[in-house]
PDB file of all heavy atoms in Angstrom:
ATOM      1  N   GLY A  22      32.793 136.481 148.461  1.00 98.00           N
ATOM      2  CA  GLY A  22      32.681 135.152 147.868  1.00 98.00           C
ATOM      3  C   GLY A  22      34.034 134.472 147.739  1.00 98.00           C
ATOM      4  O   GLY A  22      34.919 134.934 147.016  1.00 98.00           O
ATOM      5  N   GLY A  24      34.746 131.648 146.291  1.00 98.00           N
ATOM      6  CA  GLY A  24      34.513 130.555 145.345  1.00 98.00           C
ATOM      7  C   GLY A  24      35.654 130.448 144.349  1.00 98.00           C
ATOM      8  O   GLY A  24      36.812 130.782 144.658  1.00 98.00           O
ATOM      9  N   THR A  25      35.326 130.013 143.160  1.00 99.00           N
ATOM     10  CA  THR A  25      36.323 129.732 142.132  1.00 99.00           C
ATOM     11  C   THR A  25      37.146 130.979 141.808  1.00 99.00           C
ATOM     12  O   THR A  25      38.377 130.999 141.955  1.00 99.00           O
ATOM     13  CB  THR A  25      35.619 129.216 140.855  1.00 99.00           C
ATOM     14  OG1 THR A  25      34.641 128.248 141.236  1.00 99.00           O
ATOM     15  CG2 THR A  25      36.605 128.599 139.886  1.00 99.00           C
ATOM     16  N   ALA A  26      36.458 132.041 141.388  1.00 99.00           N
ATOM     17  CA  ALA A  26      37.181 133.258 141.024  1.00 99.00           C
ATOM     18  C   ALA A  26      37.672 133.992 142.269  1.00 99.00           C
ATOM     19  O   ALA A  26      38.789 134.527 142.278  1.00 99.00           O
ATOM     20  CB  ALA A  26      36.266 134.171 140.201  1.00 99.00           C
ATOM     21  N   LEU A  45      35.118 137.159 152.295  1.00 98.00           N
ATOM     22  CA  LEU A  45      33.935 136.782 153.076  1.00 98.00           C
ATOM     23  C   LEU A  45      33.155 135.744 152.279  1.00 98.00           C
ATOM     24  O   LEU A  45      32.728 136.021 151.147  1.00 98.00           O
ATOM     25  CB  LEU A  45      33.072 138.012 153.343  1.00 98.00           C
ATOM     26  CG  LEU A  45      33.727 139.054 154.264  1.00 98.00           C
ATOM     27  CD1 LEU A  45      33.022 140.396 154.146  1.00 98.00           C
ATOM     28  CD2 LEU A  45      33.748 138.575 155.707  1.00 98.00           C
ATOM     29  N   GLU A  46      32.993 134.579 152.823  1.00 98.00           N
ATOM     30  CA  GLU A  46      32.355 133.477 152.103  1.00 98.00           C
ATOM     31  C   GLU A  46      31.148 132.977 152.907  1.00 98.00           C
ATOM     32  O   GLU A  46      31.278 132.668 154.095  1.00 98.00           O
ATOM     33  CB  GLU A  46      33.365 132.343 151.874  1.00 98.00           C
ATOM     34  CG  GLU A  46      32.782 131.002 151.476  1.00 98.00           C
ATOM     35  CD  GLU A  46      31.886 131.030 150.236  1.00 98.00           C
ATOM     36  OE1 GLU A  46      32.258 131.657 149.231  1.00 98.00           O
ATOM     37  OE2 GLU A  46      30.781 130.434 150.294  1.00 98.00           O
ATOM     38  N   ALA A  47      30.007 132.884 152.227  1.00 98.00           N
ATOM     39  CA  ALA A  47      28.788 132.460 152.923  1.00 98.00           C
ATOM     40  C   ALA A  47      28.821 130.977 153.306  1.00 98.00           C
ATOM     41  O   ALA A  47      28.206 130.572 154.298  1.00 98.00           O
ATOM     42  CB  ALA A  47      27.579 132.741 152.037  1.00 98.00           C
ATOM     43  N   MET A  67      25.663 117.837 145.593  1.00 96.00           N
ATOM     44  CA  MET A  67      24.479 118.572 145.134  1.00 96.00           C
ATOM     45  C   MET A  67      23.347 118.323 146.119  1.00 96.00           C
ATOM     46  O   MET A  67      23.169 117.216 146.616  1.00 96.00           O
ATOM     47  CB  MET A  67      24.090 118.106 143.733  1.00 96.00           C
ATOM     48  CG  MET A  67      25.012 118.676 142.683  1.00 96.00           C
ATOM     49  SD  MET A  67      24.291 118.567 141.054  1.00 96.00           S
ATOM     50  CE  MET A  67      25.036 117.074 140.475  1.00 96.00           C
ATOM     51  N   TRP A  73      23.612 125.983 147.372  1.00 98.00           N
ATOM     52  CA  TRP A  73      22.611 127.018 147.659  1.00 98.00           C
ATOM     53  C   TRP A  73      21.196 126.503 147.408  1.00 98.00           C
ATOM     54  O   TRP A  73      20.225 127.133 147.804  1.00 98.00           O
ATOM     55  CB  TRP A  73      22.854 128.263 146.799  1.00 98.00           C
ATOM     56  CG  TRP A  73      23.991 129.122 147.262  1.00 98.00           C
ATOM     57  CD1 TRP A  73      25.297 129.017 146.886  1.00 98.00           C
ATOM     58  CD2 TRP A  73      23.938 130.233 148.176  1.00 98.00           C
ATOM     59  NE1 TRP A  73      26.050 129.988 147.512  1.00 98.00           N
ATOM     60  CE2 TRP A  73      25.245 130.751 148.300  1.00 98.00           C
ATOM     61  CE3 TRP A  73      22.922 130.842 148.899  1.00 98.00           C
ATOM     62  CZ2 TRP A  73      25.561 131.854 149.113  1.00 98.00           C
ATOM     63  CZ3 TRP A  73      23.223 131.931 149.698  1.00 98.00           C
ATOM     64  CH2 TRP A  73      24.527 132.420 149.817  1.00 98.00           C
ATOM     65  N   PRO A  91      21.961 123.784 141.017  1.00 98.00           N
ATOM     66  CA  PRO A  91      22.961 123.703 142.086  1.00 98.00           C
ATOM     67  C   PRO A  91      24.046 124.751 141.905  1.00 98.00           C
ATOM     68  O   PRO A  91      24.474 125.010 140.787  1.00 98.00           O
ATOM     69  CB  PRO A  91      23.534 122.283 141.940  1.00 98.00           C
ATOM     70  CG  PRO A  91      23.199 121.856 140.564  1.00 98.00           C
ATOM     71  CD  PRO A  91      22.050 122.676 140.078  1.00 98.00           C
ATOM     72  N   GLY A  93      27.633 126.162 144.194  1.00 98.00           N
ATOM     73  CA  GLY A  93      28.445 125.898 145.381  1.00 98.00           C
ATOM     74  C   GLY A  93      28.305 126.962 146.466  1.00 98.00           C
ATOM     75  O   GLY A  93      28.393 128.149 146.180  1.00 98.00           O
ATOM     76  N   LYS A  94      28.079 126.506 147.700  1.00 98.00           N
ATOM     77  CA  LYS A  94      28.088 127.389 148.872  1.00 98.00           C
ATOM     78  C   LYS A  94      29.135 126.798 149.807  1.00 98.00           C
ATOM     79  O   LYS A  94      28.813 126.094 150.775  1.00 98.00           O
ATOM     80  CB  LYS A  94      26.705 127.391 149.528  1.00 98.00           C
ATOM     81  CG  LYS A  94      26.569 128.388 150.655  1.00 98.00           C
ATOM     82  CD  LYS A  94      25.165 128.371 151.244  1.00 98.00           C
ATOM     83  CE  LYS A  94      25.027 129.461 152.276  1.00 98.00           C
ATOM     84  NZ  LYS A  94      23.697 129.451 152.912  1.00 98.00           N
ATOM     85  N   ALA A  95      30.373 127.031 149.455  1.00 98.00           N
ATOM     86  CA  ALA A  95      31.472 126.343 150.126  1.00 98.00           C
ATOM     87  C   ALA A  95      32.761 127.103 149.869  1.00 98.00           C
ATOM     88  O   ALA A  95      32.815 127.919 148.933  1.00 98.00           O
ATOM     89  CB  ALA A  95      31.621 124.930 149.563  1.00 98.00           C
ATOM     90  N   GLY A  98      33.555 127.378 146.336  1.00 98.00           N
ATOM     91  CA  GLY A  98      32.341 127.614 145.550  1.00 98.00           C
ATOM     92  C   GLY A  98      31.983 126.440 144.655  1.00 98.00           C
ATOM     93  O   GLY A  98      32.110 125.271 145.040  1.00 98.00           O
ATOM     94  N   SER A  99      31.568 126.748 143.441  1.00 98.00           N
ATOM     95  CA  SER A  99      31.088 125.699 142.541  1.00 98.00           C
ATOM     96  C   SER A  99      32.211 124.786 142.052  1.00 98.00           C
ATOM     97  O   SER A  99      31.942 123.681 141.571  1.00 98.00           O
ATOM     98  CB  SER A  99      30.365 126.332 141.341  1.00 98.00           C
ATOM     99  OG  SER A  99      29.269 127.078 141.791  1.00 98.00           O
ATOM    100  N   SER A 100      33.467 125.202 142.191  1.00 98.00           N
ATOM    101  CA  SER A 100      34.551 124.300 141.776  1.00 98.00           C
ATOM    102  C   SER A 100      34.613 123.086 142.706  1.00 98.00           C
ATOM    103  O   SER A 100      35.210 122.074 142.383  1.00 98.00           O
ATOM    104  CB  SER A 100      35.910 125.026 141.760  1.00 98.00           C
ATOM    105  OG  SER A 100      36.352 125.328 143.071  1.00 98.00           O
ATOM    106  N   ASN A 103      31.492 120.785 141.271  1.00 98.00           N
ATOM    107  CA  ASN A 103      31.321 120.563 139.833  1.00 98.00           C
ATOM    108  C   ASN A 103      31.754 119.176 139.368  1.00 98.00           C
ATOM    109  O   ASN A 103      32.249 118.357 140.143  1.00 98.00           O
ATOM    110  CB  ASN A 103      31.973 121.694 139.014  1.00 98.00           C
ATOM    111  CG  ASN A 103      33.477 121.601 138.916  1.00 98.00           C
ATOM    112  OD1 ASN A 103      34.071 120.574 139.204  1.00 98.00           O
ATOM    113  ND2 ASN A 103      34.094 122.686 138.496  1.00 98.00           N
ATOM    114  N   GLY A 104      31.522 118.941 138.064  1.00 96.00           N
ATOM    115  CA  GLY A 104      31.744 117.620 137.483  1.00 96.00           C
ATOM    116  C   GLY A 104      33.177 117.347 137.081  1.00 96.00           C
ATOM    117  O   GLY A 104      33.472 116.328 136.446  1.00 96.00           O
ATOM    118  N   MET A 105      34.096 118.256 137.427  1.00 98.00           N
ATOM    119  CA  MET A 105      35.536 118.071 137.236  1.00 98.00           C
ATOM    120  C   MET A 105      35.984 117.992 135.776  1.00 98.00           C
ATOM    121  O   MET A 105      37.094 117.558 135.497  1.00 98.00           O
ATOM    122  CB  MET A 105      36.044 116.849 138.019  1.00 98.00           C
ATOM    123  CG  MET A 105      35.926 117.032 139.518  1.00 98.00           C
ATOM    124  SD  MET A 105      36.324 115.565 140.516  1.00 98.00           S
ATOM    125  CE  MET A 105      38.044 115.307 140.179  1.00 98.00           C
ATOM    126  N   MET A 106      35.126 118.388 134.857  1.00 97.00           N
ATOM    127  CA  MET A 106      35.587 118.444 133.462  1.00 97.00           C
ATOM    128  C   MET A 106      36.398 119.728 133.294  1.00 97.00           C
ATOM    129  O   MET A 106      36.061 120.764 133.860  1.00 97.00           O
ATOM    130  CB  MET A 106      34.393 118.436 132.516  1.00 97.00           C
ATOM    131  CG  MET A 106      33.617 117.132 132.610  1.00 97.00           C
ATOM    132  SD  MET A 106      32.280 117.062 131.437  1.00 97.00           S
ATOM    133  CE  MET A 106      33.203 116.890 129.904  1.00 97.00           C
ATOM    134  N   ARG A 241      29.931 133.666 156.447  1.00 98.00           N
ATOM    135  CA  ARG A 241      29.633 135.098 156.538  1.00 98.00           C
ATOM    136  C   ARG A 241      28.968 135.547 155.235  1.00 98.00           C
ATOM    137  O   ARG A 241      29.572 135.447 154.154  1.00 98.00           O
ATOM    138  CB  ARG A 241      30.917 135.924 156.786  1.00 98.00           C
ATOM    139  CG  ARG A 241      31.565 135.614 158.134  1.00 98.00           C
ATOM    140  CD  ARG A 241      30.616 135.937 159.276  1.00 98.00           C
ATOM    141  NE  ARG A 241      31.129 135.667 160.611  1.00 98.00           N
ATOM    142  CZ  ARG A 241      31.130 134.485 161.244  1.00 98.00           C
ATOM    143  NH1 ARG A 241      30.677 133.407 160.648  1.00 98.00           N
ATOM    144  NH2 ARG A 241      31.578 134.389 162.486  1.00 98.00           N
ATOM    145  N   HIS A 242      27.747 136.019 155.363  1.00 98.00           N
ATOM    146  CA  HIS A 242      26.918 136.345 154.196  1.00 98.00           C
ATOM    147  C   HIS A 242      26.914 137.862 153.990  1.00 98.00           C
ATOM    148  O   HIS A 242      26.455 138.606 154.858  1.00 98.00           O
ATOM    149  CB  HIS A 242      25.498 135.837 154.465  1.00 98.00           C
ATOM    150  CG  HIS A 242      24.578 135.923 153.298  1.00 98.00           C
ATOM    151  ND1 HIS A 242      23.942 134.831 152.752  1.00 98.00           N
ATOM    152  CD2 HIS A 242      24.188 136.984 152.559  1.00 98.00           C
ATOM    153  CE1 HIS A 242      23.203 135.222 151.733  1.00 98.00           C
ATOM    154  NE2 HIS A 242      23.337 136.516 151.601  1.00 98.00           N
ATOM    155  N   VAL A 243      27.416 138.293 152.868  1.00 98.00           N
ATOM    156  CA  VAL A 243      27.449 139.732 152.578  1.00 98.00           C
ATOM    157  C   VAL A 243      26.046 140.190 152.166  1.00 98.00           C
ATOM    158  O   VAL A 243      25.407 139.583 151.297  1.00 98.00           O
ATOM    159  CB  VAL A 243      28.487 140.043 151.480  1.00 98.00           C
ATOM    160  CG1 VAL A 243      28.379 141.498 151.020  1.00 98.00           C
ATOM    161  CG2 VAL A 243      29.883 139.746 152.006  1.00 98.00           C
ATOM    162  N   SER A 286      32.732 138.514 143.907  1.00 99.00           N
ATOM    163  CA  SER A 286      32.936 137.225 143.220  1.00 99.00           C
ATOM    164  C   SER A 286      31.922 136.229 143.758  1.00 99.00           C
ATOM    165  O   SER A 286      32.261 135.101 144.108  1.00 99.00           O
ATOM    166  CB  SER A 286      34.356 136.705 143.484  1.00 99.00           C
ATOM    167  OG  SER A 286      35.329 137.580 142.981  1.00 99.00           O
ATOM    168  N   ALA A 287      30.679 136.672 143.845  1.00 99.00           N
ATOM    169  CA  ALA A 287      29.652 135.838 144.475  1.00 99.00           C
ATOM    170  C   ALA A 287      28.943 134.931 143.480  1.00 99.00           C
ATOM    171  O   ALA A 287      28.003 134.229 143.852  1.00 99.00           O
ATOM    172  CB  ALA A 287      28.652 136.740 145.201  1.00 99.00           C
ATOM    173  N   GLY A 288      29.386 134.932 142.228  1.00 98.00           N
ATOM    174  CA  GLY A 288      28.808 134.032 141.223  1.00 98.00           C
ATOM    175  C   GLY A 288      27.629 134.673 140.504  1.00 98.00           C
ATOM    176  O   GLY A 288      27.140 135.745 140.862  1.00 98.00           O
ATOM    177  N   HIS A 291      24.331 135.368 142.704  1.00 98.00           N
ATOM    178  CA  HIS A 291      24.372 136.251 143.873  1.00 98.00           C
ATOM    179  C   HIS A 291      25.072 137.583 143.630  1.00 98.00           C
ATOM    180  O   HIS A 291      24.808 138.544 144.352  1.00 98.00           O
ATOM    181  CB  HIS A 291      25.003 135.494 145.054  1.00 98.00           C
ATOM    182  CG  HIS A 291      24.172 134.317 145.460  1.00 98.00           C
ATOM    183  ND1 HIS A 291      24.496 133.030 145.111  1.00 98.00           N
ATOM    184  CD2 HIS A 291      22.993 134.251 146.111  1.00 98.00           C
ATOM    185  CE1 HIS A 291      23.557 132.211 145.556  1.00 98.00           C
ATOM    186  NE2 HIS A 291      22.638 132.918 146.170  1.00 98.00           N
ATOM    187  N   ILE A 295      23.491 141.091 145.059  1.00 98.00           N
ATOM    188  CA  ILE A 295      24.157 142.041 145.962  1.00 98.00           C
ATOM    189  C   ILE A 295      24.146 143.450 145.354  1.00 98.00           C
ATOM    190  O   ILE A 295      23.902 144.438 146.045  1.00 98.00           O
ATOM    191  CB  ILE A 295      25.593 141.561 146.269  1.00 98.00           C
ATOM    192  CG1 ILE A 295      25.540 140.261 147.068  1.00 98.00           C
ATOM    193  CG2 ILE A 295      26.381 142.627 147.031  1.00 98.00           C
ATOM    194  CD1 ILE A 295      26.866 139.513 147.149  1.00 98.00           C
ATOM    195  N   PHE A 543      24.154 123.456 134.527  1.00 97.00           N
ATOM    196  CA  PHE A 543      24.814 124.091 135.682  1.00 97.00           C
ATOM    197  C   PHE A 543      25.900 125.076 135.259  1.00 97.00           C
ATOM    198  O   PHE A 543      26.946 125.149 135.891  1.00 97.00           O
ATOM    199  CB  PHE A 543      25.425 123.045 136.629  1.00 97.00           C
ATOM    200  CG  PHE A 543      24.574 121.823 136.854  1.00 97.00           C
ATOM    201  CD1 PHE A 543      25.140 120.551 136.859  1.00 97.00           C
ATOM    202  CD2 PHE A 543      23.219 121.939 137.086  1.00 97.00           C
ATOM    203  CE1 PHE A 543      24.366 119.418 137.079  1.00 97.00           C
ATOM    204  CE2 PHE A 543      22.435 120.812 137.302  1.00 97.00           C
ATOM    205  CZ  PHE A 543      23.007 119.548 137.297  1.00 97.00           C
ATOM    206  N   ASP A 576      33.905 137.032 138.280  1.00 99.00           N
ATOM    207  CA  ASP A 576      33.336 135.673 138.353  1.00 99.00           C
ATOM    208  C   ASP A 576      32.665 135.354 137.020  1.00 99.00           C
ATOM    209  O   ASP A 576      32.795 136.119 136.054  1.00 99.00           O
ATOM    210  CB  ASP A 576      32.368 135.519 139.548  1.00 99.00           C
ATOM    211  CG  ASP A 576      31.202 136.509 139.523  1.00 99.00           C
ATOM    212  OD1 ASP A 576      30.837 136.946 138.425  1.00 99.00           O
ATOM    213  OD2 ASP A 576      30.675 136.841 140.601  1.00 99.00           O
ATOM    214  N   ALA A 577      31.912 134.249 136.975  1.00 99.00           N
ATOM    215  CA  ALA A 577      31.309 133.830 135.701  1.00 99.00           C
ATOM    216  C   ALA A 577      30.249 134.814 135.211  1.00 99.00           C
ATOM    217  O   ALA A 577      29.855 134.767 134.043  1.00 99.00           O
ATOM    218  CB  ALA A 577      30.696 132.442 135.849  1.00 99.00           C
ATOM    219  N   HIS A 587      32.738 123.772 129.150  1.00 98.00           N
ATOM    220  CA  HIS A 587      32.398 123.813 130.573  1.00 98.00           C
ATOM    221  C   HIS A 587      33.141 125.037 131.121  1.00 98.00           C
ATOM    222  O   HIS A 587      34.170 125.436 130.575  1.00 98.00           O
ATOM    223  CB  HIS A 587      32.791 122.499 131.215  1.00 98.00           C
ATOM    224  CG  HIS A 587      32.069 121.363 130.518  1.00 98.00           C
ATOM    225  ND1 HIS A 587      31.053 120.670 131.094  1.00 98.00           N
ATOM    226  CD2 HIS A 587      32.184 120.888 129.255  1.00 98.00           C
ATOM    227  CE1 HIS A 587      30.565 119.806 130.221  1.00 98.00           C
ATOM    228  NE2 HIS A 587      31.242 119.913 129.089  1.00 98.00           N
ATOM    229  N   LEU A 588      32.651 125.615 132.193  1.00 98.00           N
ATOM    230  CA  LEU A 588      33.081 126.996 132.453  1.00 98.00           C
ATOM    231  C   LEU A 588      34.294 127.173 133.355  1.00 98.00           C
ATOM    232  O   LEU A 588      34.897 128.247 133.388  1.00 98.00           O
ATOM    233  CB  LEU A 588      31.922 127.809 133.061  1.00 98.00           C
ATOM    234  CG  LEU A 588      30.678 127.966 132.198  1.00 98.00           C
ATOM    235  CD1 LEU A 588      29.739 128.990 132.825  1.00 98.00           C
ATOM    236  CD2 LEU A 588      31.009 128.360 130.781  1.00 98.00           C
ATOM    237  N   VAL A 589      34.651 126.149 134.126  1.00 98.00           N
ATOM    238  CA  VAL A 589      35.558 126.457 135.232  1.00 98.00           C
ATOM    239  C   VAL A 589      36.937 126.942 134.783  1.00 98.00           C
ATOM    240  O   VAL A 589      37.517 127.834 135.396  1.00 98.00           O
ATOM    241  CB  VAL A 589      35.636 125.270 136.228  1.00 98.00           C
ATOM    242  CG1 VAL A 589      36.671 124.231 135.842  1.00 98.00           C
ATOM    243  CG2 VAL A 589      35.886 125.773 137.633  1.00 98.00           C
ATOM    244  N   VAL A 592      36.732 130.525 134.187  1.00 99.00           N
ATOM    245  CA  VAL A 592      36.613 131.331 135.419  1.00 99.00           C
ATOM    246  C   VAL A 592      37.986 131.493 136.082  1.00 99.00           C
ATOM    247  O   VAL A 592      38.340 132.578 136.546  1.00 99.00           O
ATOM    248  CB  VAL A 592      35.594 130.709 136.397  1.00 99.00           C
ATOM    249  CG1 VAL A 592      35.542 131.511 137.694  1.00 99.00           C
ATOM    250  CG2 VAL A 592      34.203 130.658 135.768  1.00 99.00           C
TER     251      VAL A 592
HETATM  252  C1  FAD B 701      26.926 120.933 139.779  1.00 61.12           C
HETATM  253  C2  FAD B 701      27.877 121.669 138.897  1.00 61.12           C
HETATM  254  C3  FAD B 701      28.616 120.968 137.949  1.00 61.12           C
HETATM  255  C4  FAD B 701      29.511 121.664 137.126  1.00 61.12           C
HETATM  256  N1  FAD B 701      30.344 120.945 136.326  1.00 61.12           N
HETATM  257  C5  FAD B 701      31.363 121.574 135.698  1.00 61.12           C
HETATM  258  C6  FAD B 701      32.387 120.831 135.074  1.00 61.12           C
HETATM  259  O1  FAD B 701      32.412 119.604 135.103  1.00 61.12           O
HETATM  260  N2  FAD B 701      33.378 121.512 134.452  1.00 61.12           N
HETATM  261  C7  FAD B 701      33.396 122.878 134.410  1.00 61.12           C
HETATM  262  O2  FAD B 701      34.300 123.431 133.787  1.00 61.12           O
HETATM  263  N3  FAD B 701      32.440 123.606 135.013  1.00 61.12           N
HETATM  264  C8  FAD B 701      31.455 122.990 135.694  1.00 61.12           C
HETATM  265  N4  FAD B 701      30.550 123.714 136.402  1.00 61.12           N
HETATM  266  C9  FAD B 701      30.602 125.193 136.329  1.00 61.12           C
HETATM  267  C10 FAD B 701      31.736 125.831 137.129  1.00 61.12           C
HETATM  268  O3  FAD B 701      32.068 125.066 138.253  1.00 61.12           O
HETATM  269  C11 FAD B 701      31.301 127.249 137.534  1.00 61.12           C
HETATM  270  O4  FAD B 701      30.970 127.973 136.365  1.00 61.12           O
HETATM  271  C12 FAD B 701      32.363 128.041 138.269  1.00 61.12           C
HETATM  272  O5  FAD B 701      32.895 127.301 139.332  1.00 61.12           O
HETATM  273  C13 FAD B 701      31.738 129.344 138.801  1.00 61.12           C
HETATM  274  O6  FAD B 701      32.710 130.110 139.455  1.00 61.12           O
HETATM  275  P1  FAD B 701      32.323 131.500 140.125  1.00 61.12           P
HETATM  276  O7  FAD B 701      33.543 132.020 140.750  1.00 61.12           O
HETATM  277  O8  FAD B 701      31.612 132.328 139.138  1.00 61.12           O
HETATM  278  O9  FAD B 701      31.237 131.146 141.245  1.00 61.12           O
HETATM  279  P2  FAD B 701      31.358 130.165 142.491  1.00 61.12           P
HETATM  280  O10 FAD B 701      32.521 129.261 142.352  1.00 61.12           O
HETATM  281  O11 FAD B 701      30.025 129.538 142.642  1.00 61.12           O
HETATM  282  O12 FAD B 701      31.667 131.137 143.700  1.00 61.12           O
HETATM  283  C14 FAD B 701      30.748 132.050 144.263  1.00 61.12           C
HETATM  284  C15 FAD B 701      30.966 132.026 145.761  1.00 61.12           C
HETATM  285  O13 FAD B 701      30.330 133.148 146.353  1.00 61.12           O
HETATM  286  C16 FAD B 701      29.701 132.753 147.549  1.00 61.12           C
HETATM  287  N5  FAD B 701      28.629 133.699 147.838  1.00 61.12           N
HETATM  288  C17 FAD B 701      27.490 133.887 147.142  1.00 61.12           C
HETATM  289  N6  FAD B 701      26.753 134.875 147.711  1.00 61.12           N
HETATM  290  C18 FAD B 701      27.453 135.310 148.769  1.00 61.12           C
HETATM  291  C19 FAD B 701      27.218 136.310 149.747  1.00 61.12           C
HETATM  292  N7  FAD B 701      26.110 137.072 149.732  1.00 61.12           N
HETATM  293  N8  FAD B 701      28.153 136.495 150.726  1.00 61.12           N
HETATM  294  C20 FAD B 701      29.288 135.741 150.755  1.00 61.12           C
HETATM  295  N9  FAD B 701      29.546 134.770 149.860  1.00 61.12           N
HETATM  296  C21 FAD B 701      28.646 134.567 148.863  1.00 61.12           C
HETATM  297  C22 FAD B 701      29.220 131.345 147.246  1.00 61.12           C
HETATM  298  O14 FAD B 701      28.936 130.622 148.410  1.00 61.12           O
HETATM  299  C23 FAD B 701      30.364 130.794 146.434  1.00 61.12           C
HETATM  300  O15 FAD B 701      31.321 130.154 147.230  1.00 61.12           O
HETATM  301  C24 FAD B 701      29.631 123.079 137.225  1.00 61.12           C
HETATM  302  C25 FAD B 701      28.877 123.780 138.164  1.00 61.12           C
HETATM  303  C26 FAD B 701      28.018 123.092 139.005  1.00 61.12           C
HETATM  304  C27 FAD B 701      27.250 123.873 140.043  1.00 61.12           C
END
Side-chain angles (χ1 to χ4, degrees):
T25 315
L45 293 163
E46 164 55 45
M67 284 198 264
W73 284 90
K94 186 179 185 182
S99 300
S100 70
N103 77 15
M105 294 173 65
M106 296 184 71
R241 295 299 179 277
H242 188 121
V243 171
S286 298
H291 297 102
I295 294 166
F543 319 137
D576 58 27
H587 302 252
L588 298 190
V589 86
V592 177

